Amino acid sequence: ERRKEISKLAAQFAEQARVSVRNVRKDGMDKIKKLKSEGMSEDDEKFWSEEVQNLTNDFIKQIDEILKIKQDDILKV
C-alpha cells in the first residue's frame, strides 16, 4: 500500500515536470510571436514554432518514460 502511495507521488512530480515544460514552451512561443511582429519572416516563425513544439514533445515523452520506469521500480516487491 505504501508503494502505491509513493508511486502516486512520483506521478505528481512527473505532472509538475510536464507543466514546467509546457510553461517553457509557452514562453518560447511568445518570444517567437514577438520576433514575428518585429520583422521575422513567416518561414522562420514556422520553423522555430515547430522546433519548440518538437522539443516539448520529446521532453514530455522522456518524462513519461522515466515515470514508467520509476513506477515499475517502486512497485517491484
Side-chain angles (χ1 to χ4, degrees):
E1 193 173 308
R2 178 74 177 136
R3 290 178 190 266
K4 288 182 182 180
E5 291 175 24
I6 294 171
S7 178
K8 286 180 185 178
L9 185 62
Q12 290 173 355
F13 282 121
E15 183 58 30
Q16 289 173 357
R18 285 188 213 101
V19 169
S20 296
V21 169
R22 289 186 203 115
N23 287 337
V24 171
R25 181 194 67 196
K26 182 181 180 305
D27 292 343
M29 293 297 202
D30 289 344
K31 288 185 185 210
I32 291 169
K33 287 179 184 176
K34 182 180 176 191
L35 289 172
K36 171 76 168 104
S37 68
E38 293 175 358
M40 183 192 322
S41 71
E42 285 189 31
D43 289 340
D44 285 344
E45 176 192 17
K46 183 177 179 183
F47 171 80
W48 288 112
S49 295
E50 289 175 0
E51 190 68 22
V52 168
Q53 186 60 49
N54 289 338
L55 286 170
T56 301
N57 293 342
D58 290 345
F59 279 108
I60 288 178
K61 184 178 175 184
Q62 287 179 14
I63 291 168
D64 291 340
E65 290 171 356
I66 292 169
L67 174 62
K68 173 94 172 90
I69 292 167
K70 188 51 76 176
Q71 284 181 327
D72 290 345
D73 191 37
I74 291 170
L75 295 174
K76 192 184 305 181
V77 177

